[in-house]
Amino acid sequence: MTGAGATETIAVIGAGIIGCAVARELSQQFPHASVTLIDKEKNVAGHQTGHNSGVVHAGLYYEPGGLKARLCRRGVHLLKDFCTERGLPYVECGKLVVALNEQEESRLGDIYERALANGVPGVQMLGPAGITDIEPNAHGVAALQSPGTAIVDYAAVTEALAADVVSAGHELKLDCEVRAISERADGVTLQTTQGEFRFDRVIVCAGVQADRLAHGAGASAEPSIVPFFGQYFLLEPAYRGVLNGLVYPVPDPKYPFLGVHLTKRFDGEMMVGPNAFLSLSREGYHGLGLNPKDLLETLTNPGFWRFAAKNMGSAVREARTVLSKKMFLREAQKYVPALEGADATRMTRGIRAQAMDGSGALVDDFRIDYGERVTHIRNAPSPGATSSLAIAEYIVSSLAAKGDGSA
């Protein structure tokens, strides 16, 4: 950052969990800086953060040595400590990744090796008897147990992070949409719905709007964001205790998402989902959720059509669960037969801000682009919430390394 003792002005765009974590980290590491946290909504956690499953991922699936693997493992420790200090829910209920056949069991072995390489504590392979010892209602030929997987209330965590920013004397500017970012040698100008503001530097944590703000600020148009929605259902109260923790399928390498799974919430309710299908908007959480501008942008993206061509079979499978609650619950019954006959209520959906390159490949790892004065988080899907405090730590330390380490 800049000279010692100087009052540098820094804006963080986006008050989801990552943006709030970045603003808090700046306020702690650079006490002389003036930090402004900006969001277009009237409350923090209005988008991805407030519409997810609440799972604290242990780091099972990610490429060893990559940012996801490293920041997920660091993020788990930071998040657990933060929740403990603030008295926020943090329930280590554990997770089973369940294989239904020998082919899935083979893939499960690869995930186990990744988990070990990533330093995930307590993981072990289980046979059918081991599965029922932990989850009497679950069924499979083998499973990977992750006892440290937890559940939290990410919206409450985000509110606590934002409160820390404000209590440290910094500003939270809500109901303020950033329309344009102009970077010059002497600073950064933001055009917003509340007027024009100037800052010494800006960090953009804009989720589903990341590519638009980056491109508008002069950065590359790629990777672009292609939104995928995930539908959740809340099981009826009689099934609250059907599982002790979480039950996940073995990921299909032909499709880039996990598939329908069962997730216990921090309040004891049991959810089924999400599936994953193309969203008709970037921010439509209810009903059809159609935004013509968003949909047109996706449909005119050549990379999307390349992706679709490679994943048509899986898309058809997912479409069945989108159209039919019965089919959705039937997927879950493969792992928990006791759900036969269960009913569930459709919940608000989540929308994943997934970055995609021009070839149609999904950007797998976290992606952070550094300009002279503007930093863009271009890709931070799951485990982004789990990793949020570690992402903040990583970004702020990277910015400090570019200068003399003080602000």
Side-chain angles (χ1 to χ4, degrees):
M1 307 289 261
T2 57
T7 304
E8 187 167 40
T9 57
I10 310 171
V12 179
I13 301 173
I17 192 169
I18 294 177
C20 289
V22 168
R24 177 177 178 267
E25 185 73 13
L26 286 166
S27 71
Q28 292 183 336
Q29 297 302 321
F30 304 109
H32 297 295
S34 173
V35 179
T36 302
L37 177 59
I38 302 172
D39 198 276
K40 67 180 181 179
E41 304 300 341
K42 292 180 171 61
N43 300 288
V44 303
H47 291 288
Q48 285 185 101
T49 301
H51 298 86
N52 65 33
S53 62
V55 176
V56 181
H57 294 282
L60 302 179
Y61 310 105
Y62 317 122
E63 185 67 31
L67 276 182
K68 272 190 179 181
R70 290 154 47 202
L71 297 184
C72 179
R73 288 303 313 145
R74 173 67 176 158
V76 169
H77 294 296
L78 293 174
L79 184 59
K80 183 177 182 179
D81 288 347
F82 184 81
C83 289
T84 300
E85 291 168 5
R86 302 308 169 88
L88 298 172
Y90 189 96
V91 183
E92 286 188 346
C93 59
K95 176 170 81 173
L96 294 183
V97 183
V98 176
L100 298 178
N101 52 52
E102 290 184 359
Q103 183 182 31
E104 290 185 352
E105 185 176 4
S106 175
R107 299 204 303 265
L108 194 63
D110 296 335
I111 296 172
Y112 176 63
E113 294 301 324
R114 280 197 172 192
L116 292 178
N118 290 336
V120 180
V123 291
Q124 60 176 330
M125 294 291 291
L126 304 173
I131 293 173
T132 53
D133 283 345
I134 295 170
E135 295 288 2
N137 289 318
H139 162 81
V141 301
L144 171 60
Q145 182 195 19
S146 171
T149 297
I151 45 178
V152 298
D153 182 351
Y154 279 122
V157 171
T158 305
E159 290 166 2
L161 292 168
D164 278 1
V165 175
V166 174
S167 66
H170 303 284
E171 184 176 8
L172 174 60
K173 191 181 290 293
L174 296 173
D175 200 18
C176 181
E177 182 176 0
V178 175
R179 297 282 178 81
I181 303 171
S182 301
E183 181 178 2
R184 295 190 296 270
D186 61 344
V188 184
T189 300
L190 302 183
Q191 301 291 340
T192 82
T193 52
Q194 292 187 19
E196 182 177 292
F197 303 97
R198 184 192 174 283
F199 297 93
D200 293 310
R201 73 179 67 241
V202 172
I203 303 171
V204 185
C205 311
V208 289
Q209 305 297 339
D211 58 338
R212 290 172 174 169
L213 286 176
H215 191 210
S220 171
E222 291 185 7
S224 58
I225 295 295
V226 174
F228 292 87
F229 77 79
Q231 182 64 61
Y232 294 95
F233 284 88
L234 188 67
L235 286 172
E236 58 186 311
Y239 291 87
R240 281 174 59 113
V242 71
L243 293 174
N244 297 312
L246 317 179
V247 169
Y248 276 51
V250 179
D252 183 347
K254 297 178 182 177
Y255 196 63
F257 304 111
L258 288 174
V260 172
H261 45 272
L262 293 107
T263 305
K264 184 181 285 291
R265 296 199 318 191
F266 68 91
D267 60 3
E269 298 283 0
M270 181 64 67
M271 296 190 305
V272 182
N275 50 11
F277 202 73
L278 176 68
S279 178
L280 303 182
S281 70
R282 296 192 181 204
E283 299 178 359
Y285 302 105
H286 303 279
L288 184 61
L290 173 62
N291 181 298
K293 175 187 173 183
D294 293 346
L295 181 58
L296 180 62
E297 196 165 325
T298 297
L299 296 181
T300 55
N301 181 345
F304 166 72
W305 291 108
R306 296 183 182 107
F307 168 85
K310 292 183 289 187
N311 292 279
M312 191 58 66
S314 297
V316 171
R317 181 193 69 191
E318 292 292 309
R320 292 198 295 265
T321 66
V322 171
L323 297 171
S324 168
K325 179 172 71 171
K326 183 178 180 180
M327 290 294 297
F328 194 100
L329 293 176
R330 189 174 295 169
E331 285 295 309
Q333 289 169 30
K334 293 177 182 178
Y335 303 90
V336 183
L339 291 178
E340 185 175 0
D343 196 10
T345 304
R346 189 180 297 268
M347 302 171 65
T348 181
R349 63 174 65 104
I351 295 180
R352 177 187 179 106
Q354 177 62 58
M356 180 181 293
D357 67 23
S359 73
L362 301 187
V363 178
D364 183 56
D365 211 347
F366 295 148
R367 167 80 178 268
I368 303 165
D369 291 354
Y370 298 93
E372 286 300 315
R373 291 185 175 271
V374 182
T375 299
H376 295 276
I377 298 181
R378 301 295 299 261
N379 190 57
S382 181
T386 299
S387 311
S388 55
L389 292 166
I391 291 172
E393 191 179 68
Y394 177 82
I395 288 174
V396 173
S397 64
S398 297
L399 292 176
K402 291 177 66 176
D404 65 3
S406 60

